[in-house]
Amino acid sequence: MTTIPQTMEALRQRATLVKESLHKSQIITDNMVSILGSFDHRLSALETAMRPTQIKTHSIRSAHDNIDKTLKAAEVFLVQFEQTRKAEAKILRGPQEDLESYLEAVDQLRNNLKFFNSKKSFKGSDGIINHTNGLLAKAIAKLEDEFRLLLTNYSKPVEPDRLFDCIPHRRRSSTSGRQSDASKLDLDKQSESEKQTEPAVYTLPTLIPPRVIPLLHDLAQQMVEAGHQQQLFRLYRDTRAPVLEQSLRKLGVERLSKDDVQKMQWEVLESKIGNWTHFMRIAVKLLLTVEKQICDQIFDGFENMRTQCFSEVTASSFVMLLSFGEAVAKSKRSSEKLFVTLDMYETMRELQPELETIFEGKACTELREASLSLTKRLGQTAMETFCDFEELIENDATKTAVLDGTVHPLTSYVINYVKFLFDYQSTLKQIFREFDPNDPEGQLANLTTRIMQALQNNLDGKSKQYKDPALTQLFLMNNIHYIVRSVRRSDAKDMLGEDWVQIHRRVVQQHANQYKRISWAKIAQCLTVQSSGGADSTAGVSRNMIKDRFKSFNSQIEELYWRQSQWTVPDSELRESLKLAIIEVLLPAYRSFLKRFGPMLENGKNPQKYIRYTPEQIEEMLNGFFESKSWNDQKR
């Protein structure tokens, strides 16, 4: 019980101490509050006292910042003014001294103009914008003049000799000097083997120096950026187009119509067509190709303008080139025009891929279509001319007669024509394929067969002009033999076939047999006498009969010789074969007749009156047949 009061007393004492400590803390706190309140009052007074100074200092600092900003802005403007001033000085001097520096000045003016346009709030911006725009207008005008000057100075017609030097050697003529006709160019048709060799390489001429092209490109770019596309377009077209046309005219290209072609003599037209095929190659592979390169480089980056400019520059010249081809294709068809028309067609087909590349793009569509149209028209004209040839031969009514029965000019003309056609057989098949893709080779063979038949029909008609039926047969024999021999030696054999050749060889033999029958059957009868005593007997044969037979034989052999020694068998093999066939029949018969009946007259009066020729003399006479010589010629 005593411990509890003690514990309570101890707690009471501790509570008193805590209370005293709290009292002291409160006093301290009150004192600190009082002190802090005093500080706050002093700081407020100090702040009040310093506020004017702070305000002044802030104003000074703001003013300083504004001055810095103003100076920096002014410096940017001053730089732009200085750049404009320097650019103006270069613009006023012109582009002749230093074009590259001049172009840089123009670019600088454009940049300055963008700057001032973005600073419209600046008080003097309107004035400087107007001034810069004026400078730019002057600069572009001078650039346009410079572009015109440069382009004109380097746009000169190309002399033909320069172009001829760019042609591959095998296409050149050995002729030197400036000419624009066939003598300057190799007009011979390329052989098939030559066509199969590597493509001919043309050396492109330099029309504008390479160093000038980038300058023209930069000038063109400045004009486009200035919005002067139309001025640039007209300037370029009006400068380059006449130069290209003049180059072609110097070469010999003419703008001709169908009527112009129709009036020409064939030799003149043939020469002009030969030249035209070469002019087309020169124009496409040299002039147009280089013209496109120039246009592409100058207008690089301006696609629509590039193709439009090229189209406008080349249109007139290309149409002039095509006009001659169109005129030939539209003119009256004739057989002699077929081969030159095929040459023109081949040239256009050869150049078509290059023309497609050169005249690319929408702007050149009409030029591409014009070249393709001419190619098709030439092909159609060639095909129609070829088809006309059959009817032409069938209806040939020339009165030219070959008095000696030799090969008729029509025959040699048609055969040479057909043989020459086979040099073009791949081209003809291509044409047939274009208009009828079904079996072009068969079509060519069929048409060739019909032409041969038309020739034979015509020869049959011409053979009826002869009054002597023997000469009729000799004429037909000579002509059919010439046809067969020519076919066998040419590509026509493969086209017509071996059966055709064999059939017509038999026709030749038939005419030869007919000739021998008509000419020699009657004379052979003179040497045939039937006697009552057998084949070798003279019994029952009178001397008068033998005299008559010898007289008849002599007159007939002389008459035959007089006529047939003037006839001709031009093929030596056929001629000797025919002579031998006659000799082998007639000479043994004459020897036998002479041996059998000659003694009946030898003892009589004037036997030489009847026995006029020895077998050797007969053989000599027979050997003189078909040599186009008369008896008097032989006597001399």
Side-chain angles (χ1 to χ4, degrees):
M1 290 293 290
T2 56
T3 57
I4 294 175
Q6 289 176 348
T7 301
M8 291 294 292
E9 184 62 26
L11 289 171
R12 191 180 292 110
Q13 288 174 357
R14 289 182 183 178
T16 302
L17 288 172
V18 170
K19 184 177 180 181
E20 289 174 355
S21 296
L22 288 172
H23 180 68
K24 288 179 181 180
S25 296
Q26 182 66 46
I27 293 171
I28 294 170
T29 301
D30 290 341
N31 290 335
M32 287 298 297
V33 170
S34 176
I35 293 168
L36 289 173
S38 174
F39 274 123
D40 183 58
H41 177 73
R42 291 178 183 177
L43 286 172
S44 297
L46 181 62
E47 184 180 358
T48 301
M50 290 180 65
R51 186 171 290 119
T53 303
Q54 289 175 341
I55 293 172
K56 187 173 183 182
T57 301
H58 180 72
S59 298
I60 292 171
R61 187 178 294 113
S62 297
H64 187 272
D65 291 342
N66 288 335
I67 289 170
D68 285 344
K69 290 179 181 178
T70 303
L71 287 175
K72 287 179 180 179
E75 185 178 357
V76 172
F77 274 88
L78 289 172
V79 168
Q80 295 293 325
F81 279 120
E82 179 64 16
Q83 289 173 345
T84 303
R85 184 187 64 78
K86 290 180 179 178
E88 181 176 6
K90 291 180 181 179
I91 297 300
L92 294 176
R93 282 198 300 270
Q96 292 79 14
E97 293 182 7
D98 186 353
L99 180 58
E100 186 175 352
S101 177
Y102 189 89
L103 294 173
E104 290 175 356
V106 174
D107 284 334
Q108 185 61 61
L109 282 180
R110 284 206 177 91
N111 291 331
N112 293 346
L113 190 60
K114 289 178 184 177
F115 172 81
F116 288 115
N117 275 321
S118 67
K119 306 294 183 183
K120 287 292 187 71
S121 59
F122 177 65
K123 187 176 180 181
S125 62
D126 289 343
I128 192 65
I129 287 171
N130 292 335
H131 181 70
T132 305
N133 276 325
L135 276 177
L136 275 174
K138 291 179 182 178
I140 297 303
K142 289 185 178 182
L143 285 181
E144 186 174 327
D145 291 340
E146 184 67 12
F147 185 88
R148 180 185 292 105
L149 182 64
L150 271 177
L151 192 63
T152 303
N153 285 344
Y154 292 104
S155 294
K156 305 298 180 186
V158 189
E159 293 299 326
D161 283 341
R162 278 188 64 198
L163 295 172
F164 296 144
D165 289 340
C166 298
I167 299 173
H169 181 73
R170 72 168 180 255
R171 288 192 183 274
R172 299 181 198 172
S173 168
S174 59
T175 309
S176 60
R178 181 197 172 281
Q179 288 176 289
S180 61
D181 58 10
S183 64
K184 179 63 183 177
L185 299 169
D186 177 13
L187 300 181
D188 292 335
K189 179 177 163 57
Q190 287 177 273
S191 65
E192 291 296 322
S193 60
E194 185 179 11
K195 286 182 180 180
Q196 294 169 3
T197 59
E198 293 182 4
V201 178
Y202 287 72
T203 305
L204 296 180
T206 300
L207 303 188
I208 296 179
R211 61 180 178 80
V212 178
I213 298 290
L215 299 178
L216 289 169
H217 170 265
D218 291 344
L219 289 168
Q221 186 173 20
Q222 291 290 353
M223 293 175 67
V224 171
E225 289 180 2
H228 288 215
Q229 292 95 328
Q230 289 305 312
Q231 295 92 317
L232 174 62
F233 175 83
R234 286 194 298 270
L235 196 161
Y236 188 84
R237 178 197 61 196
D238 295 346
T239 303
R240 292 300 302 171
V243 170
L244 177 60
E245 188 165 335
Q246 289 172 42
S247 297
L248 289 172
R249 289 191 181 279
K250 280 177 172 284
L251 189 63
V253 177
E254 304 172 87
R255 193 183 297 271
L256 296 172
S257 67
K258 180 181 74 173
D259 291 339
D260 295 328
V261 168
Q262 204 67 51
K263 294 173 185 175
M264 286 182 190
Q265 295 292 327
W266 165 239
E267 292 77 10
V268 175
L269 178 59
E270 184 180 29
S271 175
K272 286 186 178 295
I273 291 174
N275 280 339
W276 181 86
T277 62
H278 290 269
F279 295 159
M280 278 299 299
R281 288 192 182 94
I282 290 173
V284 173
K285 293 180 177 291
L286 298 178
L287 291 173
L288 292 177
T289 295
V290 175
E291 197 66 50
K292 179 172 174 58
Q293 288 181 355
I294 292 171
C295 198
D296 286 350
Q297 291 169 345
I298 292 177
F299 296 101
D300 183 32
F302 312 108
E303 189 64 24
N304 293 335
M305 192 170 187
R306 177 180 66 82
T307 55
Q308 187 64 38
C309 270
F310 180 71
S311 173
E312 294 279 344
V313 165
T314 56
S316 177
S317 294
F318 192 60
V319 169
M320 179 174 70
L321 265 170
L322 298 185
S323 69
F324 180 74
E326 291 282 354
V328 172
K330 292 176 181 177
S331 62
K332 185 179 179 181
R333 296 193 300 272
S334 62
S335 57
E336 64 268 17
K337 287 183 184 177
L338 176 58
F339 301 114
V340 290
T341 304
L342 287 170
D343 285 337
M344 297 173 81
Y345 172 81
E346 285 183 344
T347 299
M348 290 302 298
R349 269 191 58 82
E350 171 196 332
L351 296 174
Q352 200 60 46
E354 290 173 78
L355 287 168
E356 292 286 335
T357 301
I358 290 171
F359 292 123
E360 62 176 349
K362 185 177 180 180
C364 297
T365 300
E366 288 188 12
L367 297 178
R368 287 197 308 276
E369 291 177 349
S371 67
L372 188 60
S373 173
L374 175 58
T375 305
K376 289 182 178 179
R377 185 182 291 277
L378 287 168
Q380 183 174 3
T381 300
M383 185 178 70
E384 290 171 352
T385 304
F386 189 18
C387 294
D388 288 347
F389 191 60
E390 177 191 354
E391 183 179 355
L392 179 70
I393 298 309
E394 183 89 51
N395 298 329
D396 177 76
T398 53
K399 299 299 182 182
T400 304
V402 286
L403 301 179
D404 58 358
T406 188
V407 176
H408 196 279
L410 177 66
T411 303
S412 57
Y413 172 74
V414 172
I415 292 301
N416 288 334
Y417 197 91
V418 171
K419 285 165 63 177
F420 202 31
L421 273 175
F422 281 92
D423 289 337
Y424 291 87
Q425 60 178 305
S426 60
T427 303
L428 287 167
K429 289 173 187 175
Q430 174 62 39
I431 293 173
F432 281 122
R433 190 177 295 111
E434 286 181 5
F435 293 95
D436 185 358
N438 296 321
D439 191 18
E441 188 162 346
Q443 293 180 63
L444 181 58
N446 182 48
L447 188 52
T448 305
T449 302
R450 296 208 312 265
I451 287 173
M452 291 299 191
Q453 187 58 52
L455 174 60
Q456 291 177 67
N457 294 342
N458 190 282
L459 290 172
D460 284 339
K462 283 180 168 48
S463 71
K464 293 178 173 58
Q465 297 175 359
Y466 298 108
K467 295 179 180 179
D468 189 330
L471 186 55
T472 294
Q473 297 302 319
L474 193 77
F475 170 79
L476 291 171
M477 179 196 72
N478 279 331
N479 282 269
I480 304 301
H481 179 268
Y482 179 84
I483 293 170
V484 172
R485 186 192 63 178
S486 299
V487 167
R488 291 183 66 193
R489 295 177 180 178
S490 71
D491 292 337
K493 179 183 177 182
D494 297 331
M495 189 65 68
L496 295 169
E498 184 61 31
D499 288 348
W500 186 95
V501 172
Q502 293 305 323
I503 288 171
H504 286 80
R505 288 182 71 180
R506 288 195 291 273
V507 172
V508 173
Q509 190 59 50
Q510 289 167 7
H511 288 302
N513 292 337
Q514 286 286 85
Y515 157 77
K516 287 184 287 186
R517 183 186 61 78
I518 294 170
S519 289
W520 301 99
K522 187 177 179 181
I523 196 171
Q525 289 177 359
C526 296
L527 303 176
T528 304
V529 176
Q530 297 293 330
S531 67
S532 57
D536 295 327
S537 173
T538 60
V541 179
S542 69
R543 291 179 78 249
N544 287 335
M545 179 189 292
I546 297 303
K547 287 179 181 179
D548 289 341
R549 291 297 175 93
F550 269 109
K551 285 172 64 177
S552 178
F553 175 83
N554 292 336
S555 64
Q556 287 189 51
I557 193 71
E558 288 171 2
E559 194 272 335
L560 281 174
Y561 182 82
W562 274 92
R563 283 188 293 115
Q564 297 197 21
S565 62
Q566 298 178 60
W567 296 356
T568 301
V569 177
D571 182 80
S572 59
E573 185 178 341
L574 181 62
R575 182 173 63 248
E576 294 308 315
S577 173
L578 194 60
K579 287 180 184 179
L580 185 60
I582 296 169
I583 290 172
E584 286 179 345
V585 172
L586 187 65
L587 206 57
Y590 183 70
R591 281 196 178 101
S592 176
F593 187 82
L594 187 61
K595 181 180 178 180
R596 182 180 174 191
F597 299 109
M600 293 178 64
L601 303 179
E602 287 174 353
N603 297 325
K605 187 178 180 180
N606 298 324
Q608 67 276 12
K609 178 179 178 182
Y610 305 103
I611 306 174
R612 191 175 299 177
Y613 301 107
T614 66
E616 291 72 25
Q617 288 174 320
I618 294 295
E619 183 174 6
E620 184 180 356
M621 290 174 68
L622 293 175
N623 279 321
F625 274 50
F626 319 128
E627 299 282 358
S628 293
K629 293 188 294 184
S630 69
W631 175 251
N632 289 334
D633 292 333
Q634 192 177 33
K635 286 285 188 181
R636 293 195 197 92

